[in-house]
Amino acid sequence: MIARWNRFIGLFRRTEPGDSLAVARIACGLCVLWTIGSMVSAGLVQVLWLDAAHGGYRERVGVNWLVALLGGPEPAVVWTLVIGGLLGGAALVAGIAGRVAALVAGQALTALVFLNSQAAGSYDLMLTNALWILVLSRSTATLSLACRLRRGAWRSAVEVPAWPRYLLLIQLVAIYFSTGIQKLSNCWTPAGGFSALYYILQQPSWQRGDMHWIAHVYPLTQFGTALTWIWELTSPLLLLAVYFRATPQRPGRLRRLFARIHYIPVFVAIGVTMHLLTWLLMDVGTFTWVALAYYPAIARPTTIPRFITRLTNRASPHEKHVCGPSR
Amino acid sequence: MGAESASRFERGRWRGRAAAVLPHFVALYVIYHVVGILVGSVPAPGDALNRTAWRNPSVRSEIDAWTARLNRLGWRVTPAELEDTCYHACRRLVAAQHAALTPFQAYQYHTGTQQAWSMFVAPHRHPSLLHIDVRRAGGAWEPVYVARSDTATWRRGQFDHIRFRSAIFRFAWPQYRAAYADFAAWVADRAADDFPDAAEIRIRYFTFTSLSPEQARAGVVPTGAFDHTVTLPLGPRR
């Protein structure tokens, strides 16, 4: 028992390059800027996040602990949260004050969204969950202004704890699996002819434009429905696949099968295609980008640094961008 | 000098001990966090406890489809019986989840890590489209905003924003009647300013049945009816 616990504890001593978490941090920061910034630019802050006495449509808005602590849903409080959220998002993108920026952005967004649950979506929770994991991680170790100021280079080879990346992965799988098992409608199943995506795309609430043309490619929507449903329901296999990938030296038929069918690249390809098509065909806010912000966690810890090195070397072949760890 | 190096040694020893113990605390915290995620992610159909939501035609057609399917499989059940069974199962599930979530609720509430992942659970086969019209004194109704229209585009930048879309989608459901009344009053206040010569405003939904692929290919026009109609005078709001 103690030996098993100690083996488990080894997971929390494991370190790896910080690039995956850094990319997730930048993506989350951009999503925060978009989700709050678009409310400001559309003039909707007072309409959706303040009560009727201050120009909102709701007689009374919801108040979470932070808003209550700050003095209630007054315009000054709501605008403080808006500005705090925007500053937190910008700091995340730039990569300064990593944990504090994630905490400020996450708490501001949680409080704002709580003000009006009628104008919220699951993408908000996806974002606040990711931000909390960034609070727990050293996401500014590389690809950040903090790194530039500390080490004189934008990138660093300093290793960071790996467990926050595992948390991102577990959260992503929990989201996909949970949404998969809730798709109980007849239309998601063979009994309903796998017609769910077709009818979802006919719902005017989320349409970008007229979608009658989709009837001419109905079999494609049926294929997409079946694929999405099966892909979500089998998403926990991703955790197994990541474990298999990390332990290739061990024996096992299943491990070999996963490697042969390229499970992880196929999973990522389906996920990215599904999210991009959703964004192309439907207005679902930041959903696509928040979901994709989790994807760097799927990559091998060395894949993203290698990719960035290749990219930066191509851009400026004579410059050296990465600093080694300084101890 | 000797005392200083001894205290440095002592500090280093404490730091070493802390570094050895820290992963155990982190592990316990991560276990707690992950169990919270998993318990929270278990589907809890909270909305299903509101029986007015079951009157929605999309929900009714789902119940009818499942009743037919279960009868084909040999379970003799009527739509009303199935609805009751589902309702009581939902109540039990929500109660069980609530109990299981108790140790995590305060943590998730304060950290923003609540879980609710019911996304596109079922297509809405009877969607509703928001229509807003104004009428000048003695004139006819003029559409000023129609969802997804390129001609009636009053305050489109606001109504078409994803967050307002979410709210407008909900207003067509019976459990959001009160919120819809608030929304209608807010719209009327804005219209009173933006259309100074208008006497009345009418806010309503056009609810229709989505066309099947065969109907859409044949060029059938969706049929439906207006409901949730609210008409308000604008004069008193100026």
Side-chain angles (χ1 to χ4, degrees), chain B residues 96-115:
Chain B
Q97 201 203 28
H98 191 265
L101 260 179
T102 305
F104 307 99
Q105 251 161 359
Y107 166 71
Q108 294 187 341
Y109 170 67
H110 286 94
T111 55
T113 54
Q114 281 131 322
Q115 314 285 315

PDB file of all heavy atoms in Angstrom, chain B residues 96-115:
ATOM      1  N   ALA B  96     -29.355  12.360  -5.063  1.00  0.00           N
ATOM      2  CA  ALA B  96     -28.119  11.595  -4.812  1.00  0.00           C
ATOM      3  C   ALA B  96     -26.898  12.433  -5.166  1.00  0.00           C
ATOM      4  O   ALA B  96     -25.914  12.462  -4.410  1.00  0.00           O
ATOM      5  CB  ALA B  96     -28.134  10.305  -5.629  1.00  0.00           C
ATOM      6  N   GLN B  97     -26.985  13.134  -6.292  1.00  0.00           N
ATOM      7  CA  GLN B  97     -25.827  13.945  -6.686  1.00  0.00           C
ATOM      8  C   GLN B  97     -25.602  15.096  -5.707  1.00  0.00           C
ATOM      9  O   GLN B  97     -24.466  15.418  -5.370  1.00  0.00           O
ATOM     10  CB  GLN B  97     -25.999  14.484  -8.108  1.00  0.00           C
ATOM     11  CG  GLN B  97     -24.649  14.866  -8.691  1.00  0.00           C
ATOM     12  CD  GLN B  97     -24.735  15.861  -9.801  1.00  0.00           C
ATOM     13  OE1 GLN B  97     -25.666  16.661  -9.852  1.00  0.00           O
ATOM     14  NE2 GLN B  97     -23.779  15.822 -10.692  1.00  0.00           N
ATOM     15  N   HIS B  98     -26.702  15.662  -5.254  1.00  0.00           N
ATOM     16  CA  HIS B  98     -26.589  16.765  -4.301  1.00  0.00           C
ATOM     17  C   HIS B  98     -25.858  16.302  -3.034  1.00  0.00           C
ATOM     18  O   HIS B  98     -24.968  16.984  -2.529  1.00  0.00           O
ATOM     19  CB  HIS B  98     -27.986  17.292  -3.966  1.00  0.00           C
ATOM     20  CG  HIS B  98     -27.945  18.577  -3.214  1.00  0.00           C
ATOM     21  ND1 HIS B  98     -28.013  18.618  -1.843  1.00  0.00           N
ATOM     22  CD2 HIS B  98     -27.818  19.848  -3.633  1.00  0.00           C
ATOM     23  CE1 HIS B  98     -27.932  19.873  -1.449  1.00  0.00           C
ATOM     24  NE2 HIS B  98     -27.807  20.653  -2.517  1.00  0.00           N
ATOM     25  N   ALA B  99     -26.239  15.099  -2.577  1.00  0.00           N
ATOM     26  CA  ALA B  99     -25.603  14.552  -1.369  1.00  0.00           C
ATOM     27  C   ALA B  99     -24.117  14.277  -1.628  1.00  0.00           C
ATOM     28  O   ALA B  99     -23.262  14.615  -0.809  1.00  0.00           O
ATOM     29  CB  ALA B  99     -26.314  13.277  -0.944  1.00  0.00           C
ATOM     30  N   ALA B 100     -23.824  13.690  -2.792  1.00  0.00           N
ATOM     31  CA  ALA B 100     -22.428  13.345  -3.103  1.00  0.00           C
ATOM     32  C   ALA B 100     -21.579  14.598  -3.294  1.00  0.00           C
ATOM     33  O   ALA B 100     -20.372  14.589  -3.029  1.00  0.00           O
ATOM     34  CB  ALA B 100     -22.383  12.477  -4.356  1.00  0.00           C
ATOM     35  N   LEU B 101     -22.219  15.670  -3.756  1.00  0.00           N
ATOM     36  CA  LEU B 101     -21.469  16.908  -4.033  1.00  0.00           C
ATOM     37  C   LEU B 101     -21.233  17.768  -2.797  1.00  0.00           C
ATOM     38  O   LEU B 101     -20.431  18.700  -2.842  1.00  0.00           O
ATOM     39  CB  LEU B 101     -22.215  17.739  -5.079  1.00  0.00           C
ATOM     40  CG  LEU B 101     -21.721  17.661  -6.521  1.00  0.00           C
ATOM     41  CD1 LEU B 101     -22.579  18.518  -7.432  1.00  0.00           C
ATOM     42  CD2 LEU B 101     -20.254  18.084  -6.655  1.00  0.00           C
ATOM     43  N   THR B 102     -21.945  17.443  -1.719  1.00  0.00           N
ATOM     44  CA  THR B 102     -21.860  18.295  -0.514  1.00  0.00           C
ATOM     45  C   THR B 102     -20.422  18.627  -0.099  1.00  0.00           C
ATOM     46  O   THR B 102     -20.112  19.791   0.137  1.00  0.00           O
ATOM     47  CB  THR B 102     -22.649  17.659   0.651  1.00  0.00           C
ATOM     48  OG1 THR B 102     -23.980  17.448   0.179  1.00  0.00           O
ATOM     49  CG2 THR B 102     -22.678  18.549   1.870  1.00  0.00           C
ATOM     50  N   PRO B 103     -19.508  17.639  -0.033  1.00  0.00           N
ATOM     51  CA  PRO B 103     -18.147  18.003   0.413  1.00  0.00           C
ATOM     52  C   PRO B 103     -17.395  18.899  -0.583  1.00  0.00           C
ATOM     53  O   PRO B 103     -16.347  19.439  -0.238  1.00  0.00           O
ATOM     54  CB  PRO B 103     -17.435  16.642   0.513  1.00  0.00           C
ATOM     55  CG  PRO B 103     -18.469  15.598   0.338  1.00  0.00           C
ATOM     56  CD  PRO B 103     -19.642  16.206  -0.309  1.00  0.00           C
ATOM     57  N   PHE B 104     -17.905  19.019  -1.799  1.00  0.00           N
ATOM     58  CA  PHE B 104     -17.172  19.772  -2.821  1.00  0.00           C
ATOM     59  C   PHE B 104     -17.819  21.112  -3.156  1.00  0.00           C
ATOM     60  O   PHE B 104     -17.226  21.935  -3.836  1.00  0.00           O
ATOM     61  CB  PHE B 104     -17.078  18.953  -4.114  1.00  0.00           C
ATOM     62  CG  PHE B 104     -16.512  17.583  -3.901  1.00  0.00           C
ATOM     63  CD1 PHE B 104     -17.336  16.479  -3.798  1.00  0.00           C
ATOM     64  CD2 PHE B 104     -15.144  17.398  -3.786  1.00  0.00           C
ATOM     65  CE1 PHE B 104     -16.825  15.208  -3.592  1.00  0.00           C
ATOM     66  CE2 PHE B 104     -14.616  16.136  -3.580  1.00  0.00           C
ATOM     67  CZ  PHE B 104     -15.453  15.042  -3.477  1.00  0.00           C
ATOM     68  N   GLN B 105     -19.091  21.271  -2.713  1.00  0.00           N
ATOM     69  CA  GLN B 105     -19.847  22.432  -3.175  1.00  0.00           C
ATOM     70  C   GLN B 105     -19.185  23.768  -2.867  1.00  0.00           C
ATOM     71  O   GLN B 105     -19.034  24.602  -3.758  1.00  0.00           O
ATOM     72  CB  GLN B 105     -21.256  22.397  -2.597  1.00  0.00           C
ATOM     73  CG  GLN B 105     -22.258  22.071  -3.684  1.00  0.00           C
ATOM     74  CD  GLN B 105     -23.573  21.573  -3.158  1.00  0.00           C
ATOM     75  OE1 GLN B 105     -23.746  21.440  -1.935  1.00  0.00           O
ATOM     76  NE2 GLN B 105     -24.491  21.295  -4.052  1.00  0.00           N
ATOM     77  N   ALA B 106     -18.774  23.953  -1.622  1.00  0.00           N
ATOM     78  CA  ALA B 106     -18.191  25.243  -1.243  1.00  0.00           C
ATOM     79  C   ALA B 106     -16.890  25.483  -2.013  1.00  0.00           C
ATOM     80  O   ALA B 106     -16.636  26.585  -2.506  1.00  0.00           O
ATOM     81  CB  ALA B 106     -17.925  25.277   0.253  1.00  0.00           C
ATOM     82  N   TYR B 107     -16.095  24.427  -2.136  1.00  0.00           N
ATOM     83  CA  TYR B 107     -14.825  24.548  -2.869  1.00  0.00           C
ATOM     84  C   TYR B 107     -15.071  24.937  -4.335  1.00  0.00           C
ATOM     85  O   TYR B 107     -14.456  25.878  -4.852  1.00  0.00           O
ATOM     86  CB  TYR B 107     -14.073  23.217  -2.782  1.00  0.00           C
ATOM     87  CG  TYR B 107     -12.929  23.087  -3.761  1.00  0.00           C
ATOM     88  CD1 TYR B 107     -11.769  23.819  -3.593  1.00  0.00           C
ATOM     89  CD2 TYR B 107     -13.033  22.238  -4.866  1.00  0.00           C
ATOM     90  CE1 TYR B 107     -10.722  23.703  -4.502  1.00  0.00           C
ATOM     91  CE2 TYR B 107     -11.993  22.116  -5.771  1.00  0.00           C
ATOM     92  CZ  TYR B 107     -10.846  22.850  -5.588  1.00  0.00           C
ATOM     93  OH  TYR B 107      -9.817  22.754  -6.487  1.00  0.00           O
ATOM     94  N   GLN B 108     -15.989  24.217  -4.983  1.00  0.00           N
ATOM     95  CA  GLN B 108     -16.233  24.480  -6.406  1.00  0.00           C
ATOM     96  C   GLN B 108     -16.863  25.863  -6.612  1.00  0.00           C
ATOM     97  O   GLN B 108     -16.545  26.557  -7.584  1.00  0.00           O
ATOM     98  CB  GLN B 108     -17.117  23.377  -6.997  1.00  0.00           C
ATOM     99  CG  GLN B 108     -16.409  22.029  -7.015  1.00  0.00           C
ATOM    100  CD  GLN B 108     -17.190  20.955  -7.750  1.00  0.00           C
ATOM    101  OE1 GLN B 108     -18.389  21.070  -7.965  1.00  0.00           O
ATOM    102  NE2 GLN B 108     -16.504  19.888  -8.130  1.00  0.00           N
ATOM    103  N   TYR B 109     -17.743  26.247  -5.696  1.00  0.00           N
ATOM    104  CA  TYR B 109     -18.403  27.555  -5.787  1.00  0.00           C
ATOM    105  C   TYR B 109     -17.373  28.688  -5.663  1.00  0.00           C
ATOM    106  O   TYR B 109     -17.406  29.663  -6.403  1.00  0.00           O
ATOM    107  CB  TYR B 109     -19.455  27.635  -4.680  1.00  0.00           C
ATOM    108  CG  TYR B 109     -20.076  28.987  -4.468  1.00  0.00           C
ATOM    109  CD1 TYR B 109     -20.895  29.559  -5.433  1.00  0.00           C
ATOM    110  CD2 TYR B 109     -19.873  29.695  -3.277  1.00  0.00           C
ATOM    111  CE1 TYR B 109     -21.481  30.798  -5.232  1.00  0.00           C
ATOM    112  CE2 TYR B 109     -20.459  30.932  -3.064  1.00  0.00           C
ATOM    113  CZ  TYR B 109     -21.261  31.480  -4.040  1.00  0.00           C
ATOM    114  OH  TYR B 109     -21.832  32.701  -3.833  1.00  0.00           O
ATOM    115  N   HIS B 110     -16.431  28.531  -4.751  1.00  0.00           N
ATOM    116  CA  HIS B 110     -15.458  29.612  -4.515  1.00  0.00           C
ATOM    117  C   HIS B 110     -14.331  29.627  -5.538  1.00  0.00           C
ATOM    118  O   HIS B 110     -13.684  30.657  -5.731  1.00  0.00           O
ATOM    119  CB  HIS B 110     -14.879  29.520  -3.095  1.00  0.00           C
ATOM    120  CG  HIS B 110     -15.856  29.959  -2.057  1.00  0.00           C
ATOM    121  ND1 HIS B 110     -16.680  29.073  -1.394  1.00  0.00           N
ATOM    122  CD2 HIS B 110     -16.179  31.194  -1.597  1.00  0.00           C
ATOM    123  CE1 HIS B 110     -17.459  29.745  -0.560  1.00  0.00           C
ATOM    124  NE2 HIS B 110     -17.177  31.034  -0.656  1.00  0.00           N
ATOM    125  N   THR B 111     -14.062  28.499  -6.172  1.00  0.00           N
ATOM    126  CA  THR B 111     -12.950  28.469  -7.140  1.00  0.00           C
ATOM    127  C   THR B 111     -13.425  28.537  -8.588  1.00  0.00           C
ATOM    128  O   THR B 111     -12.611  28.626  -9.504  1.00  0.00           O
ATOM    129  CB  THR B 111     -12.112  27.183  -6.966  1.00  0.00           C
ATOM    130  OG1 THR B 111     -12.983  26.053  -7.076  1.00  0.00           O
ATOM    131  CG2 THR B 111     -11.409  27.157  -5.620  1.00  0.00           C
ATOM    132  N   GLY B 112     -14.738  28.512  -8.791  1.00  0.00           N
ATOM    133  CA  GLY B 112     -15.261  28.557 -10.168  1.00  0.00           C
ATOM    134  C   GLY B 112     -15.048  27.248 -10.904  1.00  0.00           C
ATOM    135  O   GLY B 112     -14.850  27.242 -12.119  1.00  0.00           O
ATOM    136  N   THR B 113     -15.074  26.132 -10.166  1.00  0.00           N
ATOM    137  CA  THR B 113     -14.823  24.844 -10.819  1.00  0.00           C
ATOM    138  C   THR B 113     -16.066  23.943 -10.793  1.00  0.00           C
ATOM    139  O   THR B 113     -15.949  22.731 -10.724  1.00  0.00           O
ATOM    140  CB  THR B 113     -13.635  24.112 -10.153  1.00  0.00           C
ATOM    141  OG1 THR B 113     -13.887  24.010  -8.750  1.00  0.00           O
ATOM    142  CG2 THR B 113     -12.337  24.835 -10.372  1.00  0.00           C
ATOM    143  N   GLN B 114     -17.240  24.586 -10.858  1.00  0.00           N
ATOM    144  CA  GLN B 114     -18.458  23.771 -10.951  1.00  0.00           C
ATOM    145  C   GLN B 114     -18.497  23.052 -12.297  1.00  0.00           C
ATOM    146  O   GLN B 114     -17.866  23.502 -13.254  1.00  0.00           O
ATOM    147  CB  GLN B 114     -19.703  24.664 -10.808  1.00  0.00           C
ATOM    148  CG  GLN B 114     -19.983  25.017  -9.357  1.00  0.00           C
ATOM    149  CD  GLN B 114     -20.206  26.486  -9.163  1.00  0.00           C
ATOM    150  OE1 GLN B 114     -19.555  27.315  -9.799  1.00  0.00           O
ATOM    151  NE2 GLN B 114     -21.114  26.827  -8.283  1.00  0.00           N
ATOM    152  N   GLN B 115     -19.255  21.973 -12.330  1.00  0.00           N
ATOM    153  CA  GLN B 115     -19.324  21.161 -13.547  1.00  0.00           C
ATOM    154  C   GLN B 115     -20.780  21.100 -14.016  1.00  0.00           C
ATOM    155  O   GLN B 115     -21.654  20.767 -13.230  1.00  0.00           O
ATOM    156  CB  GLN B 115     -18.816  19.741 -13.279  1.00  0.00           C
ATOM    157  CG  GLN B 115     -17.513  19.660 -12.492  1.00  0.00           C
ATOM    158  CD  GLN B 115     -16.301  20.028 -13.323  1.00  0.00           C
ATOM    159  OE1 GLN B 115     -16.168  19.588 -14.456  1.00  0.00           O
ATOM    160  NE2 GLN B 115     -15.417  20.843 -12.772  1.00  0.00           N
TER     161      GLN B 115
END
